[in-house]
Amino acid sequence: MAAALWSRTRKKQQRTSDEALIRALYEEHGRALLAYAQRLTGDHSAAEDVVQETLIRAWTHPDALVNGKGSVRGWLLTVARNIVTDRYRAKAARPTEVAESAATTPVAQDHADAVVNSMLVMEALDQLSPDHRDVLREIYFQGRSVAEAAKSLGIPPGTVKSRSHYALKALREMYRDKPTTARLVALKEVAV
């Protein structure tokens, strides 16, 4: 019983002495440590976190403070610099975090829908007349303007506009009764 009481008393005395040590360190070196950390981080709140972490490390390694090798302030500043360096390296090693919002799209989406949609478009194009198919390929797949498509196909621009209008109308008619693929044929008519 006496050993347990002595052990509790000893722990209480050690905790009190550790707290006194940290208070003394903060009172003597706290301002210089905060100024140094703020200069390294450029941020007051981050500097306060560095000072707190430095004092925690001093509390967990009290033997480093009283071993007589070098100054206490030098040890504290070195620890603070190492903490800042570790934080910088940790940030650099991680990818940049991006906040989620309705405006941002997921990085990777399932490509199955795109494959099915492209297969359906190819099938639908095969059902069009060759003249209509050629106009749509020039405008939508080659990304050409009406004038460029007309020149490539050797037909007047008005004919390109007319054929694209009727081709899109035919595609809409093909998919009118198919609700799952109705969103597929959202092809817009060529601007006049």
Side-chain angles (χ1 to χ4, degrees), residues 162-175:
S162 173
R163 287 182 184 173
S164 67
H165 170 76
Y166 287 110
L168 291 173
K169 186 176 180 182
L171 286 174
R172 283 189 203 98
E173 289 296 322
M174 282 183 220
Y175 290 102

Side-chain angles (χ1 to χ4, degrees), residues 84-97:
V84 171
T85 303
D86 290 346
R87 287 183 178 189
Y88 176 76
R89 287 178 181 163
K91 262 188 177 176
R94 284 187 231 135
T96 306
E97 295 178 8

Side-chain angles (χ1 to χ4, degrees), residues 25-26 28-40 47-48 50-55 72-73 75-81:
L25 283 175
Y26 184 74
E28 187 174 343
H29 306 288
R31 288 180 131 189
L33 194 57
L34 182 62
Y36 180 69
Q38 191 165 353
R39 192 169 33 139
L40 291 176
E48 288 176 341
V50 169
V51 169
Q52 184 177 13
E53 180 66 27
T54 302
L55 292 175
V72 172
R73 182 173 285 188
W75 186 87
L76 291 170
L77 295 176
T78 301
V79 169
R81 185 192 68 227

Side-chain angles (χ1 to χ4, degrees), residues 59-71:
W59 178 58
T60 57
H61 299 88
D63 54 325
L65 301 171
V66 293
N67 66 5
K69 295 179 182 175
S71 71

Side-chain angles (χ1 to χ4, degrees), residues 111-128 136 140-141 167-168 170-189:
H111 66 283
D113 285 340
V115 171
V116 170
N117 288 344
S118 65
M119 289 172 59
L120 290 171
V121 167
M122 297 308 287
E123 180 184 312
L125 286 174
D126 287 341
Q127 294 177 18
L128 294 176
L136 290 182
Y140 291 102
F141 296 112
L168 291 173
L171 286 174
R172 283 189 203 98
E173 289 296 322
M174 282 183 220
Y175 290 102
R176 181 164 294 180
D177 299 330
K178 300 177 184 178
T180 57
T181 57
R183 62 184 164 78
L184 165 71
V185 185
L187 299 173
K188 297 180 182 174
E189 293 193 38

Side-chain angles (χ1 to χ4, degrees), residues 5-22:
L5 181 62
W6 184 82
S7 176
R8 277 187 291 187
T9 306
R10 176 76 177 125
K11 285 182 183 177
K12 189 174 181 181
Q13 287 174 348
Q14 185 173 359
R15 188 172 43 229
T16 305
S17 67
D18 288 347
E19 288 175 11
L21 173 67
I22 297 303

